[in-house]
Every structure is written in C-alpha cells, then in structure tokens.
C-alpha cells in the first residue's frame, strides 16, 4: 500500500498499469485491460459544433445587464403611458373617441411587459411563445380600434362617402394606386379598405392559436424554414395578411387624408404601422439572420437554447427599448390636451349656480363629481377593452 502513496512512483505504476510488456503488477491487483488510444483523425460530425457557454463569458441576453437595461426602458415606458391613459380618463370629454385611443395606448404596456417577461424566461424555449400569443391577439384589437377611431373622427361611413363619392382616384406608382387608374371612389372601395384591414384582426389571433398548438406538438420552432415545420406556413400566412392589411390601411388614409387633416393623422398612422407591422418584419429579419448562421445557438452543460429562441430573445430585447420611444411618440400622437380643453369648456358652461342655506354655491363641487363619474365610466369602458360598449 505504501507504493500507492509514494510521489516518486508514476501514477501508472501506483495503479498497476504498466507501460511495458514485462512490467510487474503489485500484489493483490489483477491485471486489467490496457487503455486504448483512439488514433488521430479528422473530427467528422453531421451537425456543426455549437458554441459552448461558460460562466465567465455568458451570452448577453442572459446577463443581469440585459435584464436591467430592458427593465429600465420597460418601466419608464409603463410610467409614461399609464400617466397618459390616466389623463385621458380624467378628461373624458369625448367618450366615442377616447375609448379607442385608450385601447390603442394599452399596446405599449402589453408589448413592453410581455417582451420583458419573455426575456426573463429566456432559457425556456416554450414560455416566450405563449407570452407572444397575448401580444399577437392585442395587435389585432389595436388595428380594429385604430380604424374605428378614424371612422369616428369622420362621422361614420355615410359621412365619408358623402365627401369622397365620385371623386377620381389619383393614379400613382409611389402611393400604390397605379392599378386603380380610371376608377373613382365608391362604397365598394371604402368597404374593401375596411374588410382588407380587418381581416388581419381575424388572421392574427387564429395564427397565434395555431402556433400554440404546433408548439405543443413540437412542430413549431422560430427560424425553422423547413417544409416539415409549421413556422414556414405560419410566416407565409402572416406576410400575406400583414401586407394586405397595410396596403388597405394606406389606401384608406390616401382617400381620406384631406378629411383627417385636422386630427394630425400622419403621426398616428406612422406610429400604429411601426409598432405593429415593422415589429413583425423586424422579427422576420432576425429569423433570416438566424437561418444564415449569424445568430448561433447556446449549448452549455447548464442550459441549451436553440437559434430560433435566441433570435426571439433579441427581438424581445429590442422591443423593450423601442416601447420607450413609442410611448413618447404616442404621447404626442394621441395627446389628451385637446380633450382637457373641451372638458374645461363644457364645465365653464355648466348649470346656473344654486345656493343653499349657507349662501354657498352648490356647483363648486360639481367638477369633482363630474371627474369622479367620468373616470368611473371611462374605466369600465376602456380598462375592459374587449367589451364593446
């Protein structure tokens, strides 16, 4: 046994593994098979080697810095947007318009918080799909409310047709109306714009449900353009629906831009389009980069994340930052100040003051009562956005 503890004896001799043929083994140790060495040769593998994740060099999306930076932008955007929603509810002077505006503004909290949760659960390849389903469904609801807001601005379909019926459609390749040369505005044109825009409100939630089902059966993976994967077909349907909806919404704006000019429609259209449509194509670009090998997968002893999930993680991180700037832009696009002025004007033309026994006007507390009543009414109508009141 003293031979096993001696440092001047090689390890192979201490364990009884001789390197020579005639080398003796220690007593009590049976000779075992000699270790075999694999002859050197080329390292051939059907799959490329994935980069290993070490504790010294973790990927950026898994670092506390990424979660802190994204969280800062998310909570700042939530603060700005919630204050704007509160001000709209406080000065609820035009319920038919502000109802849709508040529902549109809710896209920032839903987008931002959903993306941040997906980033926190980044290492789980299934959670972000379910979080994004909520975001996809609300996208469709925002498109419906934006189109309804434009109709509300213009007084409805009949009022729009009274203004544009019979006017020739300006043919332009820049505006995408070259195929409408020689035609004039009609009720059929207006309803095409409405139906083609709102089809996105049906396709988007339907595809979200299909994505969840495919994910449950292991048939969906982000960035996998294989014909046997559902991602390819879902992306094709999404692209067709988004392109048609975007084109129809632009045609509606092109035909009513003069009527909508008092409401500053350009910034409103740009913000809704950028938040919903550009974010979709941003995700498609990341999926293409992932397919080209620019976004590698994560494969470590502790966690294994596919390339599609990594691309979705970068998409969620970018959305967290973008929502901060979207909250600032939406603050100017859907300002509450015009409704505050309307509210103050309506209160200044209130009922004739009635004096009680103490000689004090009983209408001094009416603004507070009106504010409480309108805030409660607006909360019921807007904070439960899927109830069409």
């Amino acid at each position: 046994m003293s031979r096993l503890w001696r440092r001047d004896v090689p390890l192979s001799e201490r364990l009884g593994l001789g390197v020579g043929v005639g080398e003796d083994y220690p007593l009590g140790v049976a000779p075992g098979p000699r270790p075999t060495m694999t002859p050197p040769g080329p390292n051939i593998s059907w799959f490329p080697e994935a980069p290993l994740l070490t504790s010294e060099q973790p990927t950026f999306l898994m670092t506390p810095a990424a979660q802190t930076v994204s969280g800062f932008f998310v909570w700042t955007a939530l603060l700005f947007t919630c204050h704007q929603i509160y001000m709209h509810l406080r000065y609820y002077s035009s319920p038919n318009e502000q109802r849709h505006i508040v529902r549109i503004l809710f896209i920032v909290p839903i987008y931002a918080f959903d993306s941040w949760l997906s980033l926190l659960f980044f290492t789980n390849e299934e959670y972000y799909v379910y979080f994004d389903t909520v975001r996809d469904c609300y996208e469709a609801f925002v498109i419906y409310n934006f189109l309804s807001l434009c109709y509300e601005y213009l007084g409805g379909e009949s009022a729009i047709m009274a203004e544009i019926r019979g006017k020739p459609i300006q043919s332009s390749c820049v505006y995408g109306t070259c195929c409408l040369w020689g035609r004039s505005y009609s009720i059929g044109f207006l309803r095409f714009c409405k139906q083609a825009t709102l089809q996105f409100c049906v396709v988007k939630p339907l595809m979200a449900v299909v994505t969840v089902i495919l994910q449950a059966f292991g048939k969906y993976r982000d960035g996998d353009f294989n014909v046997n994967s559902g991602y390819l077909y879902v992306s094709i349907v999404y692209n067709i629906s988004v392109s048609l909806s975007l084109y129809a919404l632009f045609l509606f704006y092109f035909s009513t831009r003069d009527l909508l000019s008092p409401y500053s429609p350009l910034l409103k259209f740009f913000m809704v389009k950028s938040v919903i449509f550009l974010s979709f194509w941003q995700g498609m670009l990341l999926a293409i980069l992932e397919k080209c090998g620019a976004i590698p997968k994560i494969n470590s002893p502790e966690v294994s994340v596919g390339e599609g999930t990594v691309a979705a993680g970068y998409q969620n991180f970018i959305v967290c930052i973008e929502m901060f700037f979207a909250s600032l832009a939406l603050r100017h696009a859907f300002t509450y100040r015009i409704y505050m002025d309307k509210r103050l004007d309506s209160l200044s033309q209130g009922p004739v003051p009635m004096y009680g026994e103490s000689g004090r006007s009983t209408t001094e507390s009416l603004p507070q009562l009106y504010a409480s009543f309108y805030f409660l009414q607006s909360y019921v109508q807007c904070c439960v956005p899927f109830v069409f009141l």
Side-chain angles (χ1 to χ4, degrees):
M1 291 297 294
S2 62
R3 186 181 180 87
L4 294 174
W5 298 100
R6 290 178 56 186
R7 295 187 178 183
D8 56 341
V9 179
L11 178 63
S12 59
E13 295 183 10
R14 278 184 279 165
L15 296 178
L17 300 175
V19 294
V21 177
E23 192 168 1
D24 297 333
Y25 292 94
L27 295 176
V29 179
R34 300 181 182 271
T36 59
M37 299 294 294
T38 304
N43 186 11
I44 301 176
S45 176
W46 290 103
F47 302 98
E49 289 292 334
L52 290 179
L53 180 68
T54 62
S55 58
E56 292 80 7
Q57 296 179 347
T59 184
F60 173 72
L61 296 176
M62 300 178 63
T63 59
Q67 299 176 358
T68 303
V69 170
S70 60
F72 171 78
F73 282 100
V74 165
W75 288 104
T76 307
L78 288 176
L79 180 62
F80 288 162
T81 306
C82 290
H83 175 262
Q84 186 181 6
I85 292 174
Y86 167 75
M87 297 303 291
H88 271 288
L89 299 181
R90 181 179 179 183
Y91 299 103
Y92 204 61
S93 58
S94 300
N96 293 333
E97 296 177 7
Q98 289 176 279
R99 180 188 314 169
H100 299 297
I101 291 176
V102 170
R103 293 170 181 175
I104 293 172
L105 294 177
F106 264 111
I107 193 173
V108 171
I110 292 176
Y111 253 63
F113 195 69
D114 178 272
S115 300
W116 193 52
L117 283 180
S118 300
L119 199 61
L120 293 180
F121 293 94
F122 168 72
T123 55
N124 193 301
E125 297 199 41
E126 297 182 357
Y127 284 178
Y128 80 95
V129 175
Y130 304 117
F131 289 141
D132 292 349
T133 302
V134 179
R135 188 174 68 187
D136 293 342
C137 293
Y138 201 79
E139 284 179 3
F141 190 64
V142 167
I143 291 296
Y144 164 79
N145 280 278
F146 181 71
L147 190 62
S148 300
L149 177 63
C150 294
Y151 272 78
E152 193 65 39
Y153 280 152
L154 302 177
E157 187 177 272
S158 59
I160 298 174
M161 286 311 305
E163 295 290 338
I164 68 173
R165 185 190 296 273
K167 293 182 179 180
I169 301 177
Q170 180 183 355
S171 179
S172 173
C173 295
V174 177
Y175 296 108
T177 57
C178 54
C179 57
L180 302 176
W181 180 82
R183 302 187 61 180
S184 59
Y185 294 113
S186 62
I187 188 66
F189 171 85
L190 188 62
R191 289 182 177 174
F192 165 77
C193 296
K194 184 177 182 179
Q195 293 170 359
T197 302
L198 295 182
Q199 55 82 25
F200 179 78
C201 303
V202 178
V203 174
K204 190 72 172 178
L206 181 61
M207 289 295 101
V209 174
V210 171
T211 300
V212 172
I213 296 175
L214 292 175
Q215 176 74 21
F217 286 94
K219 298 295 184 180
Y220 183 89
R221 190 170 67 87
D222 268 324
D224 187 6
F225 291 95
N226 194 309
V227 294
N228 296 324
S229 175
Y231 177 81
L232 174 63
Y233 307 103
V234 171
S235 300
I236 292 175
V237 175
Y238 266 153
N239 272 287
I240 296 175
S241 178
V242 166
S243 302
L244 180 60
S245 179
L246 182 60
Y247 177 68
L249 194 60
F250 176 78
L251 287 180
F252 176 79
Y253 167 73
F254 182 76
S255 62
T256 60
R257 64 188 186 278
D258 295 332
L259 303 176
L260 288 170
S261 56
Y263 305 96
S264 303
L266 188 59
L267 183 58
K268 294 180 174 65
F269 269 87
F270 176 76
M271 286 309 304
V272 172
K273 289 179 181 179
S274 60
V275 171
I276 294 179
F277 298 113
L278 294 184
S279 62
F280 168 74
W281 282 317
Q282 178 178 275
M284 286 295 299
L285 177 61
L286 288 172
I288 294 175
L289 291 176
E290 175 267 318
K291 189 65 177 179
C292 296
I295 301 178
K297 65 180 179 179
I298 300 174
N299 188 13
S300 70
E302 297 179 357
V303 64
S304 179
V305 181
E307 302 94 328
T309 305
V310 176
Y314 282 111
Q315 164 79 343
N316 290 319
F317 179 78
I318 295 173
V319 168
C320 290
I321 298 177
E322 290 174 342
M323 285 302 103
F324 168 75
F325 299 99
S327 64
L328 298 179
L330 289 172
R331 194 175 185 86
H332 295 282
F334 298 96
T335 179
Y336 63 87
R337 298 187 182 278
I338 57 174
Y339 300 102
M340 181 174 62
D341 297 337
K342 291 181 181 179
R343 176 68 184 283
L344 295 177
D345 292 341
S346 63
L347 291 178
S348 64
Q349 301 174 358
V352 178
M354 298 172 57
Y355 293 91
E357 297 179 355
S358 60
R360 219 178 143 185
S361 174
T362 58
T363 59
E364 293 179 0
S365 60
L366 285 180
Q368 290 79 6
L369 294 176
Y370 288 158
S372 301
F373 172 75
Y374 278 113
F375 186 85
L376 180 61
Q377 179 188 8
S378 59
Y379 177 83
V380 174
Q381 292 179 340
C382 299
C383 293
V384 189
F386 290 97
V387 179
F388 300 95
L389 300 177

